[in-house]
Structures are given as C-alpha cells and as structure tokens.
Amino acid sequence: GQQLNQSPQSMFIQEGEDVSMNCTSSSIFNTWLWYKQDPGEGPVLLIALYKAGELTSNGRLTAQFGITRKDSFLNISASIPSDVGIYFCAGLQSGAGSYQLTFGKGTKLSVIP
Amino acid sequence: NAGVTQTPKFQVLKTGQSMTLQCAQDMNHEYMSWYRQDPGMGLRLIHYSVGAGITDQGEVPNGYNVSRSTTEDFPLRLLSAAPSQTSVYFCASRRGGLRDSPLHFGNGTRLTVT
C-alpha cells in the first residue's frame, strides 16, 4: 500500500523556538491534511491543503502542499508548552466513489519551558 | 454540538470475550470509519461505511465486524477478543459529497485484552 515518510519521529525544543516537520511519499495526493493529537485525545484537524503549491496558515502554524504533490511540510513558529503532542500528516487520494487516506506515523513534539 | 462520541473510554477484556465499541456522530456525516492506533504503526483503517446500510473492509479488518443501521451510529464488534487487539481505537466521520472533506475523530477507546 501507499506509505508516507514523516520526519522527524520526535523532537525536543526550547519554548520560543520554531519547529519544522515534513512528509514525503512516492505517491501523488490531491489533498494534504495535518492533525495534532494531544495525550489521551483523538487527532484534531489543524490545516487542510487542497492545491499543489498552496501555503496556508492557522495562527502560528503554516503548512505547504508541495509542487510535486508528493510532499508537505508544517512549521510552528514561537513554540509554547501547549504545542506538545503528536503531529500527523495525511495524504488523501479521492475520486468518484473512492476516498483513500494514508497517515504518516507521527512526529512527537516536546517543548521544554 | 458533540461531534464524534465514543464509548467506553477504557475497557479491559479477557481473551475470548466479546464486546462492542460504540461510535455516534451528530454532524449528519455520511462517511464513518474505525481506525486502530498502535505504537510505531500510526493509524490503520479497520472498516468504513459510506452510508447507512453500506460497510466495507479497510487495511486490518480481521477479527472485527461492523454494521451501519443508521447515519448516526457505527458500532465496532469484537466477537472473540485476542491480545493482538490491545490498542487504541478511533472512530472518525466526514461529510459525503465533498470528495476532499477531512476526517473528524472521536477521543478514542483504549482497549486492553489480557
């Protein structure tokens, strides 16, 4: 099946630092999604990207849909303690009657106050 | 607006026992699905449904049954639990008709099979 390579697997950063994570694949996707999962909770949608080259922001979060449609990155600026959690990328291939969503294995973010 | 609601939040079963994980959504979403989350494996699709009366298998369906008698509910049944089914289970839904609509997740059921 399709696979997404998400990196890094984990990162420890100081509060106030910027964070960058990315997902790559050998497959083409028509939508990229970024989710955050807090401990003991379900994943929550952060950003959805629908067009190649699209750059979208949500507060301190910025994500881009790669031009090749095979990759995406997520940046978090000026990190704060509540940014702690696991971030998942997901690539979507959809069409008439089909909806195939592939998840990366997650980036675990720890923020040191 | 409750979104996607899963019950129970925690469950411990003995090998061979059966149980049903409940999932309900109040967003009138046509599409519902079940995932399991295991360390190092990410989220894997178990079963999904594109509407009431329609279900289909995902990536890891063995050992699980589903039914979709109403738009709101999508229960997941374990007929004979095995230790390999120890996991965190997430139900998710999305709007149908919009091919790119994202999934909305519940808060999960943490299942331990001893």
PDB file of all heavy atoms in Angstrom, chain A residues 30-31 33 35 37 40-43 45 50 88 92 94-95 99 101 103 105, chain B residues 9 31 35 37 40-43 90 94 99-107 110:
ATOM      1  N   ASN A  30      -4.061  14.377  -3.762  1.00  0.00           N
ATOM      2  CA  ASN A  30      -4.758  15.596  -4.149  1.00  0.00           C
ATOM      3  C   ASN A  30      -5.172  16.454  -2.970  1.00  0.00           C
ATOM      4  O   ASN A  30      -5.707  17.548  -3.147  1.00  0.00           O
ATOM      5  CB  ASN A  30      -5.952  15.297  -5.075  1.00  0.00           C
ATOM      6  CG  ASN A  30      -6.892  14.261  -4.506  1.00  0.00           C
ATOM      7  OD1 ASN A  30      -6.858  13.962  -3.325  1.00  0.00           O
ATOM      8  ND2 ASN A  30      -7.714  13.704  -5.365  1.00  0.00           N
ATOM      9  N   THR A  31      -4.943  15.955  -1.768  1.00  0.00           N
ATOM     10  CA  THR A  31      -5.169  16.757  -0.556  1.00  0.00           C
ATOM     11  C   THR A  31      -4.158  16.323   0.498  1.00  0.00           C
ATOM     12  O   THR A  31      -3.860  15.130   0.596  1.00  0.00           O
ATOM     13  CB  THR A  31      -6.600  16.545  -0.008  1.00  0.00           C
ATOM     14  OG1 THR A  31      -7.558  16.952  -0.978  1.00  0.00           O
ATOM     15  CG2 THR A  31      -6.822  17.333   1.274  1.00  0.00           C
ATOM     16  N   LEU A  33      -3.466  16.768   4.708  1.00  0.00           N
ATOM     17  CA  LEU A  33      -4.061  17.182   5.969  1.00  0.00           C
ATOM     18  C   LEU A  33      -3.014  17.078   7.070  1.00  0.00           C
ATOM     19  O   LEU A  33      -2.184  16.161   7.059  1.00  0.00           O
ATOM     20  CB  LEU A  33      -5.259  16.286   6.329  1.00  0.00           C
ATOM     21  CG  LEU A  33      -6.346  16.143   5.261  1.00  0.00           C
ATOM     22  CD1 LEU A  33      -7.336  15.051   5.656  1.00  0.00           C
ATOM     23  CD2 LEU A  33      -7.069  17.468   5.058  1.00  0.00           C
ATOM     24  N   TYR A  35      -2.846  16.897  11.299  1.00  0.00           N
ATOM     25  CA  TYR A  35      -3.601  16.710  12.538  1.00  0.00           C
ATOM     26  C   TYR A  35      -2.651  16.812  13.729  1.00  0.00           C
ATOM     27  O   TYR A  35      -1.464  16.502  13.626  1.00  0.00           O
ATOM     28  CB  TYR A  35      -4.244  15.315  12.580  1.00  0.00           C
ATOM     29  CG  TYR A  35      -5.418  15.108  11.661  1.00  0.00           C
ATOM     30  CD1 TYR A  35      -5.237  14.706  10.339  1.00  0.00           C
ATOM     31  CD2 TYR A  35      -6.720  15.282  12.118  1.00  0.00           C
ATOM     32  CE1 TYR A  35      -6.318  14.489   9.504  1.00  0.00           C
ATOM     33  CE2 TYR A  35      -7.809  15.065  11.289  1.00  0.00           C
ATOM     34  CZ  TYR A  35      -7.600  14.663   9.989  1.00  0.00           C
ATOM     35  OH  TYR A  35      -8.682  14.453   9.165  1.00  0.00           O
ATOM     36  N   GLN A  37      -2.520  15.451  17.846  1.00  0.00           N
ATOM     37  CA  GLN A  37      -3.132  14.590  18.841  1.00  0.00           C
ATOM     38  C   GLN A  37      -2.544  14.899  20.211  1.00  0.00           C
ATOM     39  O   GLN A  37      -1.341  14.725  20.422  1.00  0.00           O
ATOM     40  CB  GLN A  37      -2.917  13.109  18.500  1.00  0.00           C
ATOM     41  CG  GLN A  37      -3.611  12.151  19.439  1.00  0.00           C
ATOM     42  CD  GLN A  37      -3.436  10.710  19.028  1.00  0.00           C
ATOM     43  OE1 GLN A  37      -2.505  10.356  18.317  1.00  0.00           O
ATOM     44  NE2 GLN A  37      -4.329   9.843  19.475  1.00  0.00           N
ATOM     45  N   GLY A  40      -4.139  11.278  25.239  1.00  0.00           N
ATOM     46  CA  GLY A  40      -5.451  10.817  25.667  1.00  0.00           C
ATOM     47  C   GLY A  40      -6.615  11.328  24.839  1.00  0.00           C
ATOM     48  O   GLY A  40      -7.777  11.101  25.200  1.00  0.00           O
ATOM     49  N   GLU A  41      -6.313  11.996  23.739  1.00  0.00           N
ATOM     50  CA  GLU A  41      -7.377  12.547  22.896  1.00  0.00           C
ATOM     51  C   GLU A  41      -7.266  11.992  21.494  1.00  0.00           C
ATOM     52  O   GLU A  41      -6.297  11.324  21.134  1.00  0.00           O
ATOM     53  CB  GLU A  41      -7.266  14.074  22.858  1.00  0.00           C
ATOM     54  CG  GLU A  41      -7.245  14.754  24.208  1.00  0.00           C
ATOM     55  CD  GLU A  41      -8.586  14.733  24.896  1.00  0.00           C
ATOM     56  OE1 GLU A  41      -9.616  14.708  24.192  1.00  0.00           O
ATOM     57  OE2 GLU A  41      -8.614  14.715  26.143  1.00  0.00           O
ATOM     58  N   GLY A  42      -8.282  12.306  20.672  1.00  0.00           N
ATOM     59  CA  GLY A  42      -8.222  11.929  19.278  1.00  0.00           C
ATOM     60  C   GLY A  42      -7.543  13.007  18.456  1.00  0.00           C
ATOM     61  O   GLY A  42      -7.396  14.147  18.896  1.00  0.00           O
ATOM     62  N   PRO A  43      -7.091  12.663  17.234  1.00  0.00           N
ATOM     63  CA  PRO A  43      -6.467  13.676  16.360  1.00  0.00           C
ATOM     64  C   PRO A  43      -7.445  14.788  16.015  1.00  0.00           C
ATOM     65  O   PRO A  43      -8.622  14.526  15.770  1.00  0.00           O
ATOM     66  CB  PRO A  43      -6.082  12.869  15.111  1.00  0.00           C
ATOM     67  CG  PRO A  43      -6.015  11.446  15.565  1.00  0.00           C
ATOM     68  CD  PRO A  43      -7.057  11.323  16.626  1.00  0.00           C
ATOM     69  N   LEU A  45      -7.982  18.149  13.442  1.00  0.00           N
ATOM     70  CA  LEU A  45      -7.502  18.747  12.199  1.00  0.00           C
ATOM     71  C   LEU A  45      -6.952  20.147  12.462  1.00  0.00           C
ATOM     72  O   LEU A  45      -7.604  20.988  13.073  1.00  0.00           O
ATOM     73  CB  LEU A  45      -8.636  18.824  11.179  1.00  0.00           C
ATOM     74  CG  LEU A  45      -8.258  19.392   9.814  1.00  0.00           C
ATOM     75  CD1 LEU A  45      -7.340  18.418   9.077  1.00  0.00           C
ATOM     76  CD2 LEU A  45      -9.499  19.681   8.983  1.00  0.00           C
ATOM     77  N   TYR A  50      -5.382  21.894  -0.375  1.00  0.00           N
ATOM     78  CA  TYR A  50      -6.125  21.305  -1.483  1.00  0.00           C
ATOM     79  C   TYR A  50      -5.487  21.493  -2.852  1.00  0.00           C
ATOM     80  O   TYR A  50      -5.947  20.902  -3.834  1.00  0.00           O
ATOM     81  CB  TYR A  50      -7.547  21.870  -1.507  1.00  0.00           C
ATOM     82  CG  TYR A  50      -8.344  21.557  -0.262  1.00  0.00           C
ATOM     83  CD1 TYR A  50      -8.602  22.538   0.695  1.00  0.00           C
ATOM     84  CD2 TYR A  50      -8.842  20.279  -0.034  1.00  0.00           C
ATOM     85  CE1 TYR A  50      -9.330  22.240   1.835  1.00  0.00           C
ATOM     86  CE2 TYR A  50      -9.572  19.976   1.097  1.00  0.00           C
ATOM     87  CZ  TYR A  50      -9.818  20.956   2.033  1.00  0.00           C
ATOM     88  OH  TYR A  50     -10.543  20.655   3.152  1.00  0.00           O
ATOM     89  N   PHE A  88       0.391  14.520  13.005  1.00  0.00           N
ATOM     90  CA  PHE A  88       0.278  13.557  11.913  1.00  0.00           C
ATOM     91  C   PHE A  88       0.007  14.282  10.600  1.00  0.00           C
ATOM     92  O   PHE A  88      -0.834  15.182  10.549  1.00  0.00           O
ATOM     93  CB  PHE A  88      -0.898  12.600  12.141  1.00  0.00           C
ATOM     94  CG  PHE A  88      -0.704  11.640  13.266  1.00  0.00           C
ATOM     95  CD1 PHE A  88      -1.240  11.906  14.516  1.00  0.00           C
ATOM     96  CD2 PHE A  88      -0.011  10.462  13.082  1.00  0.00           C
ATOM     97  CE1 PHE A  88      -1.079  11.016  15.565  1.00  0.00           C
ATOM     98  CE2 PHE A  88       0.150   9.563  14.124  1.00  0.00           C
ATOM     99  CZ  PHE A  88      -0.374   9.844  15.372  1.00  0.00           C
ATOM    100  N   LEU A  92      -4.413  12.376   0.973  1.00  0.00           N
ATOM    101  CA  LEU A  92      -5.714  11.885   0.523  1.00  0.00           C
ATOM    102  C   LEU A  92      -5.727  11.741  -0.987  1.00  0.00           C
ATOM    103  O   LEU A  92      -5.346  12.665  -1.710  1.00  0.00           O
ATOM    104  CB  LEU A  92      -6.817  12.851   0.949  1.00  0.00           C
ATOM    105  CG  LEU A  92      -8.232  12.586   0.437  1.00  0.00           C
ATOM    106  CD1 LEU A  92      -8.732  11.238   0.908  1.00  0.00           C
ATOM    107  CD2 LEU A  92      -9.166  13.698   0.855  1.00  0.00           C
ATOM    108  N   SER A  94      -8.681  10.964  -3.606  1.00  0.00           N
ATOM    109  CA  SER A  94     -10.128  10.811  -3.670  1.00  0.00           C
ATOM    110  C   SER A  94     -10.593  10.987  -5.103  1.00  0.00           C
ATOM    111  O   SER A  94      -9.938  11.633  -5.914  1.00  0.00           O
ATOM    112  CB  SER A  94     -10.823  11.831  -2.769  1.00  0.00           C
ATOM    113  OG  SER A  94     -10.492  13.138  -3.161  1.00  0.00           O
ATOM    114  N   GLY A  95     -11.705  10.361  -5.380  1.00  0.00           N
ATOM    115  CA  GLY A  95     -12.281  10.456  -6.701  1.00  0.00           C
ATOM    116  C   GLY A  95     -13.703   9.955  -6.649  1.00  0.00           C
ATOM    117  O   GLY A  95     -14.263   9.808  -5.573  1.00  0.00           O
ATOM    118  N   TYR A  99     -12.179   7.124  -1.489  1.00  0.00           N
ATOM    119  CA  TYR A  99     -11.595   8.052  -0.503  1.00  0.00           C
ATOM    120  C   TYR A  99     -10.513   7.265   0.203  1.00  0.00           C
ATOM    121  O   TYR A  99     -10.790   6.448   1.067  1.00  0.00           O
ATOM    122  CB  TYR A  99     -12.680   8.496   0.476  1.00  0.00           C
ATOM    123  CG  TYR A  99     -12.260   9.522   1.495  1.00  0.00           C
ATOM    124  CD1 TYR A  99     -12.465  10.883   1.268  1.00  0.00           C
ATOM    125  CD2 TYR A  99     -11.688   9.159   2.706  1.00  0.00           C
ATOM    126  CE1 TYR A  99     -12.115  11.847   2.209  1.00  0.00           C
ATOM    127  CE2 TYR A  99     -11.330  10.102   3.650  1.00  0.00           C
ATOM    128  CZ  TYR A  99     -11.552  11.445   3.408  1.00  0.00           C
ATOM    129  OH  TYR A  99     -11.213  12.389   4.342  1.00  0.00           O
ATOM    130  N   LEU A 101      -7.232   7.565   2.457  1.00  0.00           N
ATOM    131  CA  LEU A 101      -6.448   8.449   3.316  1.00  0.00           C
ATOM    132  C   LEU A 101      -5.311   7.657   3.917  1.00  0.00           C
ATOM    133  O   LEU A 101      -5.521   6.619   4.535  1.00  0.00           O
ATOM    134  CB  LEU A 101      -7.350   9.023   4.412  1.00  0.00           C
ATOM    135  CG  LEU A 101      -6.781  10.140   5.287  1.00  0.00           C
ATOM    136  CD1 LEU A 101      -6.476  11.369   4.451  1.00  0.00           C
ATOM    137  CD2 LEU A 101      -7.779  10.496   6.387  1.00  0.00           C
ATOM    138  N   PHE A 103      -1.959   7.833   6.470  1.00  0.00           N
ATOM    139  CA  PHE A 103      -1.380   8.619   7.559  1.00  0.00           C
ATOM    140  C   PHE A 103       0.114   8.374   7.674  1.00  0.00           C
ATOM    141  O   PHE A 103       0.597   7.250   7.480  1.00  0.00           O
ATOM    142  CB  PHE A 103      -2.028   8.247   8.896  1.00  0.00           C
ATOM    143  CG  PHE A 103      -3.391   8.840   9.086  1.00  0.00           C
ATOM    144  CD1 PHE A 103      -4.525   8.155   8.662  1.00  0.00           C
ATOM    145  CD2 PHE A 103      -3.554  10.075   9.694  1.00  0.00           C
ATOM    146  CE1 PHE A 103      -5.792   8.703   8.841  1.00  0.00           C
ATOM    147  CE2 PHE A 103      -4.809  10.627   9.861  1.00  0.00           C
ATOM    148  CZ  PHE A 103      -5.927   9.938   9.436  1.00  0.00           C
ATOM    149  N   LYS A 105       3.389   8.305  10.370  1.00  0.00           N
ATOM    150  CA  LYS A 105       3.486   7.684  11.683  1.00  0.00           C
ATOM    151  C   LYS A 105       3.620   8.695  12.815  1.00  0.00           C
ATOM    152  O   LYS A 105       3.683   8.311  13.977  1.00  0.00           O
ATOM    153  CB  LYS A 105       4.630   6.677  11.718  1.00  0.00           C
ATOM    154  CG  LYS A 105       4.363   5.490  10.815  1.00  0.00           C
ATOM    155  CD  LYS A 105       5.307   4.344  11.040  1.00  0.00           C
ATOM    156  CE  LYS A 105       4.723   3.149  10.286  1.00  0.00           C
ATOM    157  NZ  LYS A 105       5.595   2.565   9.351  1.00  0.00           N
TER     158      LYS A 105
ATOM    159  N   LYS B   9     -14.552   4.801  27.212  1.00  0.00           N
ATOM    160  CA  LYS B   9     -13.243   5.418  27.032  1.00  0.00           C
ATOM    161  C   LYS B   9     -12.128   4.404  27.315  1.00  0.00           C
ATOM    162  O   LYS B   9     -11.065   4.438  26.701  1.00  0.00           O
ATOM    163  CB  LYS B   9     -13.093   6.619  27.971  1.00  0.00           C
ATOM    164  CG  LYS B   9     -11.937   7.543  27.582  1.00  0.00           C
ATOM    165  CD  LYS B   9     -12.027   8.854  28.340  1.00  0.00           C
ATOM    166  CE  LYS B   9     -10.856   9.761  28.022  1.00  0.00           C
ATOM    167  NZ  LYS B   9     -10.843  10.230  26.634  1.00  0.00           N
ATOM    168  N   TYR B  31     -20.068   9.450   5.824  1.00  0.00           N
ATOM    169  CA  TYR B  31     -18.921   8.545   5.899  1.00  0.00           C
ATOM    170  C   TYR B  31     -18.490   8.386   7.350  1.00  0.00           C
ATOM    171  O   TYR B  31     -18.297   9.370   8.063  1.00  0.00           O
ATOM    172  CB  TYR B  31     -17.774   9.110   5.068  1.00  0.00           C
ATOM    173  CG  TYR B  31     -16.504   8.279   5.059  1.00  0.00           C
ATOM    174  CD1 TYR B  31     -16.226   7.406   4.004  1.00  0.00           C
ATOM    175  CD2 TYR B  31     -15.577   8.386   6.077  1.00  0.00           C
ATOM    176  CE1 TYR B  31     -15.059   6.661   3.981  1.00  0.00           C
ATOM    177  CE2 TYR B  31     -14.414   7.649   6.065  1.00  0.00           C
ATOM    178  CZ  TYR B  31     -14.148   6.793   5.013  1.00  0.00           C
ATOM    179  OH  TYR B  31     -12.994   6.046   5.002  1.00  0.00           O
ATOM    180  N   TYR B  35     -10.462   3.245  13.092  1.00  0.00           N
ATOM    181  CA  TYR B  35      -9.025   3.078  12.994  1.00  0.00           C
ATOM    182  C   TYR B  35      -8.528   2.477  14.303  1.00  0.00           C
ATOM    183  O   TYR B  35      -9.115   2.679  15.369  1.00  0.00           O
ATOM    184  CB  TYR B  35      -8.317   4.432  12.799  1.00  0.00           C
ATOM    185  CG  TYR B  35      -8.462   5.029  11.431  1.00  0.00           C
ATOM    186  CD1 TYR B  35      -9.590   5.781  11.083  1.00  0.00           C
ATOM    187  CD2 TYR B  35      -7.468   4.882  10.475  1.00  0.00           C
ATOM    188  CE1 TYR B  35      -9.709   6.343   9.825  1.00  0.00           C
ATOM    189  CE2 TYR B  35      -7.579   5.447   9.206  1.00  0.00           C
ATOM    190  CZ  TYR B  35      -8.707   6.177   8.905  1.00  0.00           C
ATOM    191  OH  TYR B  35      -8.826   6.722   7.652  1.00  0.00           O
ATOM    192  N   GLN B  37      -4.838   2.498  16.564  1.00  0.00           N
ATOM    193  CA  GLN B  37      -3.557   3.194  16.666  1.00  0.00           C
ATOM    194  C   GLN B  37      -2.649   2.391  17.586  1.00  0.00           C
ATOM    195  O   GLN B  37      -2.958   2.166  18.755  1.00  0.00           O
ATOM    196  CB  GLN B  37      -3.742   4.610  17.229  1.00  0.00           C
ATOM    197  CG  GLN B  37      -2.463   5.426  17.251  1.00  0.00           C
ATOM    198  CD  GLN B  37      -2.678   6.844  17.749  1.00  0.00           C
ATOM    199  OE1 GLN B  37      -3.526   7.109  18.594  1.00  0.00           O
ATOM    200  NE2 GLN B  37      -1.921   7.789  17.204  1.00  0.00           N
ATOM    201  N   GLY B  40       4.286   3.047  16.842  1.00  0.00           N
ATOM    202  CA  GLY B  40       5.133   2.794  15.689  1.00  0.00           C
ATOM    203  C   GLY B  40       4.399   2.401  14.427  1.00  0.00           C
ATOM    204  O   GLY B  40       5.019   2.222  13.373  1.00  0.00           O
ATOM    205  N   MET B  41       3.069   2.246  14.507  1.00  0.00           N
ATOM    206  CA  MET B  41       2.300   1.804  13.335  1.00  0.00           C
ATOM    207  C   MET B  41       1.404   2.900  12.785  1.00  0.00           C
ATOM    208  O   MET B  41       0.807   2.743  11.734  1.00  0.00           O
ATOM    209  CB  MET B  41       1.430   0.596  13.695  1.00  0.00           C
ATOM    210  CG  MET B  41       2.203  -0.584  14.251  1.00  0.00           C
ATOM    211  SD  MET B  41       3.267  -1.311  13.011  1.00  0.00           S
ATOM    212  CE  MET B  41       2.064  -2.090  11.951  1.00  0.00           C
ATOM    213  N   GLY B  42       1.252   3.975  13.497  1.00  0.00           N
ATOM    214  CA  GLY B  42       0.356   5.034  13.048  1.00  0.00           C
ATOM    215  C   GLY B  42      -1.103   4.598  13.142  1.00  0.00           C
ATOM    216  O   GLY B  42      -1.476   3.737  13.934  1.00  0.00           O
ATOM    217  N   LEU B  43      -1.926   5.182  12.307  1.00  0.00           N
ATOM    218  CA  LEU B  43      -3.365   4.896  12.287  1.00  0.00           C
ATOM    219  C   LEU B  43      -3.667   3.956  11.123  1.00  0.00           C
ATOM    220  O   LEU B  43      -3.323   4.246   9.981  1.00  0.00           O
ATOM    221  CB  LEU B  43      -4.152   6.196  12.111  1.00  0.00           C
ATOM    222  CG  LEU B  43      -4.174   7.102  13.339  1.00  0.00           C
ATOM    223  CD1 LEU B  43      -4.395   8.547  12.939  1.00  0.00           C
ATOM    224  CD2 LEU B  43      -5.262   6.662  14.302  1.00  0.00           C
ATOM    225  N   PHE B  90     -10.076   4.482  17.281  1.00  0.00           N
ATOM    226  CA  PHE B  90     -10.671   5.778  16.972  1.00  0.00           C
ATOM    227  C   PHE B  90     -11.737   5.626  15.909  1.00  0.00           C
ATOM    228  O   PHE B  90     -11.529   4.965  14.880  1.00  0.00           O
ATOM    229  CB  PHE B  90      -9.617   6.763  16.478  1.00  0.00           C
ATOM    230  CG  PHE B  90      -8.678   7.229  17.538  1.00  0.00           C
ATOM    231  CD1 PHE B  90      -7.412   6.682  17.656  1.00  0.00           C
ATOM    232  CD2 PHE B  90      -9.067   8.217  18.433  1.00  0.00           C
ATOM    233  CE1 PHE B  90      -6.552   7.106  18.651  1.00  0.00           C
ATOM    234  CE2 PHE B  90      -8.200   8.652  19.429  1.00  0.00           C
ATOM    235  CZ  PHE B  90      -6.950   8.093  19.536  1.00  0.00           C
ATOM    236  N   ARG B  94     -16.859  11.973   8.229  1.00  0.00           N
ATOM    237  CA  ARG B  94     -16.685  13.131   7.354  1.00  0.00           C
ATOM    238  C   ARG B  94     -17.938  13.296   6.514  1.00  0.00           C
ATOM    239  O   ARG B  94     -18.744  12.367   6.366  1.00  0.00           O
ATOM    240  CB  ARG B  94     -15.485  12.969   6.447  1.00  0.00           C
ATOM    241  CG  ARG B  94     -15.667  11.921   5.374  1.00  0.00           C
ATOM    242  CD  ARG B  94     -14.486  11.888   4.431  1.00  0.00           C
ATOM    243  NE  ARG B  94     -14.748  10.988   3.311  1.00  0.00           N
ATOM    244  CZ  ARG B  94     -15.213  11.393   2.125  1.00  0.00           C
ATOM    245  NH1 ARG B  94     -15.452  12.677   1.896  1.00  0.00           N
ATOM    246  NH2 ARG B  94     -15.422  10.518   1.168  1.00  0.00           N
ATOM    247  N   ARG B  99     -15.566  15.557  -2.043  1.00  0.00           N
ATOM    248  CA  ARG B  99     -14.594  14.481  -2.126  1.00  0.00           C
ATOM    249  C   ARG B  99     -13.364  14.727  -1.273  1.00  0.00           C
ATOM    250  O   ARG B  99     -12.661  13.802  -0.914  1.00  0.00           O
ATOM    251  CB  ARG B  99     -14.225  14.219  -3.582  1.00  0.00           C
ATOM    252  CG  ARG B  99     -13.310  15.245  -4.202  1.00  0.00           C
ATOM    253  CD  ARG B  99     -13.077  15.008  -5.673  1.00  0.00           C
ATOM    254  NE  ARG B  99     -12.161  16.013  -6.164  1.00  0.00           N
ATOM    255  CZ  ARG B  99     -11.007  15.725  -6.733  1.00  0.00           C
ATOM    256  NH1 ARG B  99     -10.662  14.475  -6.888  1.00  0.00           N
ATOM    257  NH2 ARG B  99     -10.210  16.675  -7.133  1.00  0.00           N
ATOM    258  N   ASP B 100     -13.071  15.970  -0.938  1.00  0.00           N
ATOM    259  CA  ASP B 100     -11.877  16.257  -0.149  1.00  0.00           C
ATOM    260  C   ASP B 100     -12.169  16.593   1.300  1.00  0.00           C
ATOM    261  O   ASP B 100     -11.304  17.096   2.000  1.00  0.00           O
ATOM    262  CB  ASP B 100     -11.106  17.430  -0.772  1.00  0.00           C
ATOM    263  CG  ASP B 100     -10.582  17.084  -2.149  1.00  0.00           C
ATOM    264  OD1 ASP B 100     -10.446  15.882  -2.450  1.00  0.00           O
ATOM    265  OD2 ASP B 100     -10.322  18.016  -2.933  1.00  0.00           O
ATOM    266  N   SER B 101     -13.354  16.340   1.785  1.00  0.00           N
ATOM    267  CA  SER B 101     -13.681  16.737   3.163  1.00  0.00           C
ATOM    268  C   SER B 101     -12.839  15.927   4.144  1.00  0.00           C
ATOM    269  O   SER B 101     -12.682  14.713   3.998  1.00  0.00           O
ATOM    270  CB  SER B 101     -15.162  16.531   3.445  1.00  0.00           C
ATOM    271  OG  SER B 101     -15.518  15.186   3.320  1.00  0.00           O
ATOM    272  N   PRO B 102     -12.263  16.590   5.153  1.00  0.00           N
ATOM    273  CA  PRO B 102     -11.368  15.893   6.082  1.00  0.00           C
ATOM    274  C   PRO B 102     -12.131  15.083   7.120  1.00  0.00           C
ATOM    275  O   PRO B 102     -13.311  15.309   7.381  1.00  0.00           O
ATOM    276  CB  PRO B 102     -10.596  17.041   6.741  1.00  0.00           C
ATOM    277  CG  PRO B 102     -11.526  18.198   6.676  1.00  0.00           C
ATOM    278  CD  PRO B 102     -12.329  18.038   5.411  1.00  0.00           C
ATOM    279  N   LEU B 103     -11.435  14.134   7.738  1.00  0.00           N
ATOM    280  CA  LEU B 103     -11.995  13.316   8.802  1.00  0.00           C
ATOM    281  C   LEU B 103     -12.014  14.068  10.130  1.00  0.00           C
ATOM    282  O   LEU B 103     -11.090  14.823  10.434  1.00  0.00           O
ATOM    283  CB  LEU B 103     -11.171  12.045   8.984  1.00  0.00           C
ATOM    284  CG  LEU B 103     -11.376  10.907   8.005  1.00  0.00           C
ATOM    285  CD1 LEU B 103     -10.385   9.804   8.312  1.00  0.00           C
ATOM    286  CD2 LEU B 103     -12.786  10.388   8.048  1.00  0.00           C
ATOM    287  N   HIS B 104     -13.062  13.810  10.913  1.00  0.00           N
ATOM    288  CA  HIS B 104     -13.167  14.317  12.281  1.00  0.00           C
ATOM    289  C   HIS B 104     -13.164  13.108  13.205  1.00  0.00           C
ATOM    290  O   HIS B 104     -13.959  12.187  13.019  1.00  0.00           O
ATOM    291  CB  HIS B 104     -14.454  15.119  12.461  1.00  0.00           C
ATOM    292  CG  HIS B 104     -14.516  16.329  11.587  1.00  0.00           C
ATOM    293  ND1 HIS B 104     -14.073  17.574  11.999  1.00  0.00           N
ATOM    294  CD2 HIS B 104     -14.939  16.488  10.313  1.00  0.00           C
ATOM    295  CE1 HIS B 104     -14.246  18.441  11.014  1.00  0.00           C
ATOM    296  NE2 HIS B 104     -14.759  17.810   9.981  1.00  0.00           N
ATOM    297  N   PHE B 105     -12.297  13.122  14.209  1.00  0.00           N
ATOM    298  CA  PHE B 105     -12.096  11.967  15.068  1.00  0.00           C
ATOM    299  C   PHE B 105     -12.787  12.110  16.419  1.00  0.00           C
ATOM    300  O   PHE B 105     -12.943  13.221  16.936  1.00  0.00           O
ATOM    301  CB  PHE B 105     -10.598  11.757  15.328  1.00  0.00           C
ATOM    302  CG  PHE B 105      -9.847  11.210  14.163  1.00  0.00           C
ATOM    303  CD1 PHE B 105      -9.353  12.046  13.175  1.00  0.00           C
ATOM    304  CD2 PHE B 105      -9.614   9.842  14.054  1.00  0.00           C
ATOM    305  CE1 PHE B 105      -8.649  11.541  12.090  1.00  0.00           C
ATOM    306  CE2 PHE B 105      -8.910   9.335  12.970  1.00  0.00           C
ATOM    307  CZ  PHE B 105      -8.435  10.174  11.990  1.00  0.00           C
ATOM    308  N   GLY B 106     -13.172  10.953  16.990  1.00  0.00           N
ATOM    309  CA  GLY B 106     -13.572  10.896  18.383  1.00  0.00           C
ATOM    310  C   GLY B 106     -12.347  10.840  19.279  1.00  0.00           C
ATOM    311  O   GLY B 106     -11.209  10.877  18.793  1.00  0.00           O
ATOM    312  N   ASN B 107     -12.574  10.734  20.605  1.00  0.00           N
ATOM    313  CA  ASN B 107     -11.469  10.756  21.551  1.00  0.00           C
ATOM    314  C   ASN B 107     -10.896   9.380  21.869  1.00  0.00           C
ATOM    315  O   ASN B 107     -10.002   9.268  22.695  1.00  0.00           O
ATOM    316  CB  ASN B 107     -11.886  11.451  22.841  1.00  0.00           C
ATOM    317  CG  ASN B 107     -11.845  12.963  22.678  1.00  0.00           C
ATOM    318  OD1 ASN B 107     -11.093  13.484  21.867  1.00  0.00           O
ATOM    319  ND2 ASN B 107     -12.669  13.660  23.418  1.00  0.00           N
ATOM    320  N   ARG B 110      -9.638   3.013  24.686  1.00  0.00           N
ATOM    321  CA  ARG B 110      -8.395   2.308  24.986  1.00  0.00           C
ATOM    322  C   ARG B 110      -8.743   0.916  25.468  1.00  0.00           C
ATOM    323  O   ARG B 110      -9.292   0.754  26.549  1.00  0.00           O
ATOM    324  CB  ARG B 110      -7.584   3.089  26.018  1.00  0.00           C
ATOM    325  CG  ARG B 110      -6.907   4.283  25.403  1.00  0.00           C
ATOM    326  CD  ARG B 110      -6.928   5.507  26.311  1.00  0.00           C
ATOM    327  NE  ARG B 110      -6.446   6.670  25.591  1.00  0.00           N
ATOM    328  CZ  ARG B 110      -7.219   7.455  24.828  1.00  0.00           C
ATOM    329  NH1 ARG B 110      -8.512   7.196  24.703  1.00  0.00           N
ATOM    330  NH2 ARG B 110      -6.708   8.488  24.194  1.00  0.00           N
TER     331      ARG B 110
END
